[in-house]
Amino acid sequence: MVLVTGGAGFIGGHFVKEWLAHMGEPLVNLDKLTYAGTAFRLGELGDDDRHQLVVGDIADSVLVRQLLHTHQPRAVVHFAAQTHVDQSIQDPGVFVHTNVVGTYQLLEAVREYWSALAPVPKQAFRFLYVSTDEVYGSLTPGQAPFSEQHPVRPNNPYAATKAAGDHMVRAWHSTYGLPVLTTRGSNSYGPCQLPEKLIPCIIWNALSLQSLPIYGDGSQVRDWIHVSDHCRALRCVLDSGSVGETYNIGAGNECSNLSLVVAICECLNHLHPRPDGVPYQVQIRFVADRPGHDQRYGMDGRKIMQALGWVPLESFEQGLLDTVHWYLNNPEWLRGAAYRVQAAAAGA
């Protein structure tokens, strides 16, 4: 079996469901269930006895050691993190606690567990750290996409705390021999993502006839990947990745924020027109840019494709359309998620 941290979050929740669907191997899912981690994402698992949800903090070393001792996992997949950049600017301490201290506590508990394993399971054990392209910092418009050799230069508190995790994971491998794998994924999108993130935020605001806020002039570029492709890549790295290596996970879908918002509006114009027939684009508003806003992310994914044979399957156009469809078909979920985000932002 495997131990997953943060498996009720967006990517983690999809990973858990797809793992059980494709692998069938039991897992224990450790999640703190903050506003961003919701058991709703796991609801379709029902009473599946291959999945055990444990509510707890990765920084709780006693709990983590107990889970490792009790369940004897062959691998740990570490998603648990605070991820919203705007919140990291407002309250970086929360991000330091989870992304830095929590990762440290988890690494130490796993190192202790792994060190005591018998030779065969010790050799086979893996620790997969799920990181982000944001640790690389920002690219200029004509610069080549990030490769795994690109220097780590984070520009906001969220990215800095994730980069700290990257460095600790590398150090625990170099110093102690812990068999680690690191992935750095581009912006993931798909069903069940909270509307603090760009795509569901625009969908929620558009349907609510609110303004569609775009930072600065909207020229910032992001590289997008459907969450199902991201999860397949993670399974591939866990199964076949080389110990100590880092793998970029991207689908080569670079798009400016303004172009993305317009594309979402076009999907909604077609699938769910405004009552007055006016295009949703009239709701677009440009707002003051946020501090430390990276201009461009782009991912060079040749390493994982050439070494492990993974390729993305979902086109950005179809994936975006399917994602808009999902939110339109799940209005109650979207409304409840929007209220949770608003409550969290208000400190409730």
Side-chain angles (χ1 to χ4, degrees), residues 189-339:
Y189 71 97
C192 284
Q193 191 173 31
L194 290 182
E196 63 182 6
K197 304 293 186 174
L198 181 57
I199 291 176
C201 173
I202 294 302
I203 295 171
W204 166 251
N205 282 22
L207 296 176
S208 305
L209 300 181
Q210 303 177 56
S211 65
L212 307 182
I214 300 178
Y215 282 129
D217 61 2
S219 65
Q220 301 87 358
V221 171
R222 298 295 180 261
D223 192 352
W224 295 90
I225 183 171
H226 194 275
V227 66
S228 62
D229 279 332
H230 195 163
C231 290
R232 282 194 309 103
L234 294 171
R235 296 198 305 271
C236 183
V237 171
L238 184 60
D239 180 62
S240 305
S242 298
V243 169
E245 291 294 316
T246 296
Y247 296 90
N248 284 348
I249 300 175
N253 297 316
E254 289 192 39
C255 180
S256 74
N257 289 345
L258 178 57
S259 296
L260 177 59
V261 171
V262 170
I264 295 169
C265 289
E266 289 295 341
C267 289
L268 290 170
N269 291 336
H270 174 67
L271 298 172
H272 192 277
R274 279 174 45 132
D276 58 8
V278 175
Y280 285 98
Q281 284 92 322
V282 301
Q283 297 169 226
I284 292 175
R285 299 290 184 273
F286 295 98
V287 299
D289 209 351
R290 72 182 178 207
H293 199 178
D294 291 329
Q295 180 61 32
R296 172 180 167 238
Y297 302 148
M299 293 289 269
D300 182 344
R302 286 178 294 179
K303 179 176 178 178
I304 188 174
M305 295 178 189
Q306 294 172 1
L308 305 184
W310 171 87
V311 292
L313 301 179
E314 189 75 62
S315 74
F316 188 42
E317 293 77 13
Q318 187 62 49
L320 184 61
L321 183 63
D322 291 345
T323 297
V324 174
H325 260 298
W326 187 90
Y327 287 105
L328 288 173
N329 291 333
N330 291 273
E332 292 301 321
W333 187 91
L334 181 58
R335 183 179 299 108
Y339 292 156

